[in-house]
Amino acid sequence: MVEGKRANLRRMGQEQAGQYKRMMAFVIFLAAALTLITATFLNPTFMKKQIRTSYNQAVIVRQVNKNFDVLADVINARDEDDANLLAQAQTQPIADHIIDYTLGIHWFKVNNLSLAQQILTDINQGIDKGSSSGAQVINNKLKKQGANAPYAIVKAFNLNIVTLGANIASLLLIVNVIIVIVTIITLISLINDMKSKASTRVLIHNATAAGMWAGFWLILISGLLALVPVIFDVDNIEFGSILEIGSSVFLEYVIVGAIIYVICAIPWQATSTK
């Protein structure tokens, strides 16, 4: 009878330890994921560097040229043969200004005419006599629009959607920071609670086991998200270019997840019962 009670107590202890590991794994995963999102997708410096990689440069050139083709339609300067008129050097400043407008720390946006004027300036400065004849025709006709030119840019480049995205990004940044702070406080609370119920060896073993699970889920989820543009054709869907650029970022998350897993695996193995 006494042995049965002891076994029951051990079983309850194992169940409680499992609950702690699951909670810690979720908290560590959430903190890691939100920190990575804040440092990458919501960081204008990182994203401007990211779009300069060889693969993403092609994505940016293709997307900006789509908008430029729409601009040709808006100002009635479209030629049937006009497509992909802008080169990489001409599309990069436009992409940089859109990223600066959308990401980073800023107040909520209500006007996008300043961004439209920046894009207009980029087009005027980027298109010269060495550019394609189609691009020069569109630029000349755009100049004739006068005060209406920025509004044509707003329509062609979907800047109202960009403004909405900037406000969503600003809100996400605030929410991410708050949640990361809460998760850190929660993690500290869980560790302190486990200290009062287990030895240091058991605490390290369970905490690193939770870290390994968090790393595993980060690898799995990020890997699946990175494969989306590979498995599906996202070129013709809304925000498809974001998914394509995000694919390479998610691959970096996979590396971070693997690092977390390896770092936690060493002390976990060292504190295993022999």
Side-chain angles (χ1 to χ4, degrees):
M1 184 175 179
V2 173
E3 290 298 325
K5 288 183 178 179
R6 287 178 179 174
N8 189 46
L9 286 172
R10 284 196 299 268
R11 184 166 58 252
M12 289 179 64
Q14 291 173 354
E15 290 174 357
Q16 191 174 38
Q19 291 177 351
Y20 275 115
K21 281 192 287 188
R22 285 191 291 271
M23 286 189 291
M24 289 185 71
F26 174 74
V27 169
I28 295 171
F29 168 78
L30 189 62
L34 293 181
T35 300
L36 286 170
I37 290 172
T38 302
T40 55
F41 287 109
L42 300 179
N43 181 356
T45 302
F46 176 88
M47 291 308 295
K48 284 194 287 187
K49 181 180 177 182
Q50 192 68 23
I51 64 173
R52 282 167 170 76
T53 60
S54 57
Y55 172 77
N56 289 331
Q57 282 179 345
V59 176
I60 292 299
V61 170
R62 186 174 69 246
Q63 182 58 44
V64 174
N65 267 296
K66 283 183 180 179
N67 296 126
F68 194 69
D69 292 343
V70 174
L71 177 62
D73 291 330
V74 171
I75 62 176
N76 295 319
R78 178 76 169 181
D79 190 307
E80 291 183 2
D81 295 329
D82 286 348
N84 299 323
L85 297 174
L86 300 180
Q88 176 187 319
Q90 296 164 325
T91 60
Q92 202 75 62
I94 296 174
D96 285 345
H97 281 132
I98 291 175
I99 289 174
D100 285 330
Y101 176 88
T102 307
L103 305 181
I105 300 173
H106 56 75
W107 296 108
F108 286 93
K109 306 284 188 178
V110 294
N111 191 299
N112 49 35
L113 286 179
S114 60
L115 175 60
Q117 190 61 53
Q118 286 179 323
I119 294 174
L120 185 62
T121 301
D122 291 334
I123 292 174
N124 288 334
Q125 292 178 347
I127 297 177
D128 52 27
K129 292 182 180 179
S131 302
S132 65
S133 58
Q136 293 183 48
V137 169
I138 293 171
N139 189 37
N140 290 333
K141 197 152 188 177
L142 187 61
K143 290 177 180 179
K144 294 178 182 179
Q145 296 290 312
N148 292 325
Y151 296 97
I153 296 291
V154 169
K155 184 175 181 180
F157 284 81
N158 292 319
L159 295 192
N160 290 330
I161 300 296
V162 173
T163 300
L164 176 62
N167 291 332
I168 292 174
S170 182
L171 183 61
L172 281 176
L173 180 62
I174 296 171
V175 172
N176 279 9
V177 171
I178 292 173
I179 294 178
V180 168
I181 293 173
V182 171
T183 54
I184 291 173
I185 294 172
T186 303
L187 184 61
I188 294 172
S189 177
L190 285 171
I191 292 174
N192 289 334
D193 197 21
M194 290 181 69
K195 275 184 180 179
S196 64
K197 299 179 181 180
S199 64
T200 301
R201 184 191 66 80
V202 173
L203 172 62
I204 294 174
H205 187 73
N206 289 335
T208 51
M212 290 170 65
W213 275 110
F216 167 77
W217 284 112
L218 187 60
I219 293 170
L220 180 62
I221 294 173
S222 300
L224 291 175
L225 290 173
L227 288 174
V228 169
V230 177
I231 299 173
F232 303 101
D233 182 12
V234 297
D235 187 33
N236 296 318
I237 66 172
E238 195 72 27
F239 308 117
S241 58
I242 296 177
L243 290 174
E244 290 185 87
I245 294 171
S247 177
S248 58
V249 180
F250 286 127
L251 286 177
E252 296 187 22
Y253 288 12
V254 171
I255 296 173
V256 173
I259 292 172
I260 293 174
Y261 188 93
V262 172
I263 289 175
C264 291
I266 297 172
W268 177 83
Q269 184 62 41
T271 54
S272 296
T273 304
K274 296 181 180 179

